[in-house]
């Protein structure tokens, strides 16, 4: 994993988490979930595996999304 992919993921996830946490719009929150899932599908797979611990549902399913995104931001911050 290179530092650039960690920094990029952190900046993107951090910004989306802040909006998600304060949003009152279900539509906006759903959109953020879709965008993050799409990003997870295209990001460095070694970084994704490190963050997800092998959980293929990580950042991709609604019930655990907020916890996963919070977890990802925390892990990425520690990697920086």
């Amino acid at each position: 994993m290179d530092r650039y992919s960690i920094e990029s993921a952190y900046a993107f996830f951090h910004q989306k988490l802040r909006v998600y946490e304060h949003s009152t719009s279900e539509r906006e929150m759903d959109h953020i979930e879709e965008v993050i899932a799409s990003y997870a599908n295209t990001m460095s797979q070694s970084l994704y595996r490190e963050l997800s611990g092998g959980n293929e549902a990580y950042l991709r399913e609604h019930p655990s999304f907020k916890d996963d995104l919070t977890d990802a931001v925390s892990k990425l911050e520690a990697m920086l």
Side-chain angles (χ1 to χ4, degrees):
M1 289 174 284
D2 64 80
R3 185 166 180 83
Y4 175 77
S5 44
I6 294 169
E7 289 173 348
S8 295
Y10 175 77
F12 186 65
F13 289 172
H14 183 268
Q15 186 263 344
K16 295 298 182 197
L17 177 61
R18 295 300 161 244
V19 174
Y20 191 88
E21 288 177 324
H22 296 98
S23 180
T24 58
S25 165
E26 287 296 321
R27 184 175 176 193
E28 180 178 51
M29 293 167 74
D30 288 345
H31 179 70
I32 291 170
E33 289 182 29
E34 290 170 16
V35 169
I36 293 292
S38 178
Y39 187 90
N41 290 334
T42 60
M43 70 187 287
S44 160
Q45 288 307 292
S46 60
L47 179 55
Y48 179 79
R49 281 190 300 276
E50 180 73 24
L51 295 174
S52 70
N55 176 4
E56 290 298 317
Y58 190 79
L59 296 172
R60 295 180 172 137
E61 292 188 1
H62 178 76
S64 60
F65 180 79
K66 185 177 180 189
D67 290 339
D68 289 349
L69 187 54
T70 302
D71 179 65
V73 169
S74 177
K75 287 177 179 174
L76 288 163
E77 191 171 277
M79 291 177 180
L80 291 175

